Amino acid sequence: MLLRRLPGLLQARPKRMTEACGGRRLHVYAGNPLKNRGGAAAAESLATVLLGNDGGDHKVLPLQKGRPLTRSDVAASLPTWRLSWLPPARLGLLPAESFVYLGSDAGAAHYWAVDAGELDGGDGSSFVDLRTLMHAADWSDEQAMEELAIAGHAKALLEWHGASRFCGHCGGAMVHIEAGRRKECTNPSCRKRSYPRVDPVVIMLVVDKENDRVLLSRQSRYAPRMWSCLAGFAEPGESLEEAVRRETWEETGIQVGEVVYHSSQPWPVGRSSMPCQLMVGFFAHAQSLDIRVDHDELEDARWHSREDVRRALAYEEYDATRRATAEKVNQMCNGGEDKSQRTQSSYPAMSGELGPMYVPGPYAIAHHLISSWVNENGSDGVDSLSRKSTSFSSL
Ligand SMILES: [Zn+2]
């Protein structure tokens, strides 16, 4: 069987654990607690509120160019960020149809997102790039993890709205329906509907079982010394397993046999123009070993021994970088940083002696694919990984 699932792993609610990397059972951007997303009644209720009448409990997250409004909580020893939810009255000048529904929680509050345009965030808050919040988040802080998932959903929905103003069939204007969770063409002879989409990206750790090593690669945009898994978009008309084999072959000339599913991660902070990618992680058995790097795609690709990869995972800068980024967010929220500098953070902040290499931090599925392989006992590799569901507990 080419695709093996790890049953039930992703159904679990985020669970506080004490292991390294925060011990989360869910990837960053997964585990959104706003599960109830039927928006029609909520939209009616919000319209009432915006008209100045009392209504239900509504909370709005403003975003500016995809950056959620954020405040800093300095009560803890290390500054902690939180999303800054506003009452609809603070945004009453925006038309009701510009609000998109995010869902409701168990407490029956309704949550919305809106593109805030040039709105000023106000004292103690700032619009902060989602990647920066991701790097600043404490992995054991469940609220921060849930808010990252909500903010990722909000960013992706608003970007989809911004990129689908006109009908792809007839060119007519599209309007929100179902509280912004769908769109429909206004041309009466067309009426085509449009739905938010995700773009699947396969990400694979290619394993050479015989020699107990894995294939890691570098792209020119990576920070110095960072290596990671191969990845690429699935194309129309191919399965995910086929995409794993094709991308690996195209980028490195390695032939892949068995492909084994590991886990998946929503990724609303991709560098392409797509609102939300879905990273689908696999282990891939190498059937050939000679590397031929496609230099249009990669800077380099090499086999790395288990010991070298273990050392790369033990990189000590992850937590230091998180703390430095948390301080930066605090400064941004409290006016201590030049607003013109509010660009995406570079990760990690390099310091100290240079080690031979490191891999992406625990925010990335690549980290967990790599650590799952490294932390397996013995060298039987992929087969045991697919059976041993506990390998996922390092998330
Ligand atoms: Zn149309």
Side-chain angles (χ1 to χ4, degrees), residues 167 169-172 185 187 190-192:
C167 176
H169 298 272
C170 75
C185 178
N187 178 350
C190 179
R191 296 286 186 202
K192 284 278 193 289

Side-chain angles (χ1 to χ4, degrees), residues 141-371:
D141 180 349
E142 286 177 22
Q143 186 176 343
M145 292 294 114
E146 292 188 345
E147 292 199 346
L148 273 178
I150 293 170
H153 180 215
K155 174 177 183 287
L157 261 185
L158 289 174
E159 288 187 353
W160 169 71
H161 276 284
S164 56
R165 297 177 193 279
F166 299 99
C167 176
H169 298 272
C170 75
M174 303 287 284
V175 291
H176 293 200
I177 57 175
E178 297 179 30
R181 301 189 57 245
R182 309 277 186 269
K183 298 186 90 167
E184 187 175 277
C185 178
T186 52
N187 178 350
S189 64
C190 179
R191 296 286 186 202
K192 284 278 193 289
R193 288 194 172 186
S194 177
Y195 301 85
R197 55 178 285 184
V198 295
D199 292 284
V201 176
V202 291
I203 178 165
M204 47 281 187
L205 184 64
V206 180
V207 180
D208 170 10
K209 277 176 68 173
E210 207 163 290
N211 299 296
D212 198 28
R213 55 186 186 167
V214 289
L215 184 67
L216 298 179
S217 64
R218 274 190 52 75
Q219 296 182 22
S220 55
R221 64 180 172 82
Y222 288 178
R225 301 187 296 111
M226 191 181 91
W227 294 71
S228 189
C229 300
L230 296 173
F233 287 100
E235 293 187 346
E238 72 180 355
S239 69
L240 297 176
E241 297 92 324
E242 289 170 322
V244 168
R245 296 190 182 96
R246 177 184 53 74
E247 284 284 342
T248 305
W249 168 253
E250 287 176 357
E251 295 189 354
T252 65
I254 301 289
Q255 290 183 324
V256 163
E258 188 179 21
V259 173
V260 179
Y261 175 71
H262 177 268
S263 61
S264 64
Q265 178 181 32
W267 193 244
V269 291
R271 291 173 192 273
S272 73
S273 57
M274 295 172 182
C276 193
Q277 299 166 12
L278 180 67
M279 309 298 288
V280 190
F282 295 93
F283 297 104
H285 272 158
Q287 287 186 324
S288 69
L289 303 177
D290 291 336
I291 299 170
R292 167 190 46 75
V293 176
D294 175 0
H295 288 288
D296 289 338
E297 298 283 337
L298 300 176
E299 184 179 280
D300 201 358
R302 295 184 193 179
W303 293 109
H304 295 267
S305 72
R306 189 181 293 262
E307 196 46 45
D308 283 352
V309 177
R310 192 189 306 280
R311 274 201 295 272
L313 273 173
Y315 183 65
E316 292 178 349
E317 297 293 314
Y318 295 129
D319 195 53
T321 304
R322 182 181 68 74
R323 289 169 171 272
T325 314
E327 295 285 0
K328 175 185 169 184
V329 172
N330 181 46
Q331 288 174 6
M332 291 169 72
C333 292
N334 292 292
E337 182 178 276
D338 179 355
K339 293 193 176 187
S340 67
Q341 299 300 310
R342 292 179 185 182
T343 54
Q344 291 189 352
S345 68
S346 58
Y347 184 89
M350 309 303 289
S351 67
E353 286 297 311
L354 299 183
M357 71 170 195
Y358 68 97
V359 298
Y363 59 84
I365 188 173
H367 185 99
H368 301 284
L369 279 166
I370 293 167
S371 65

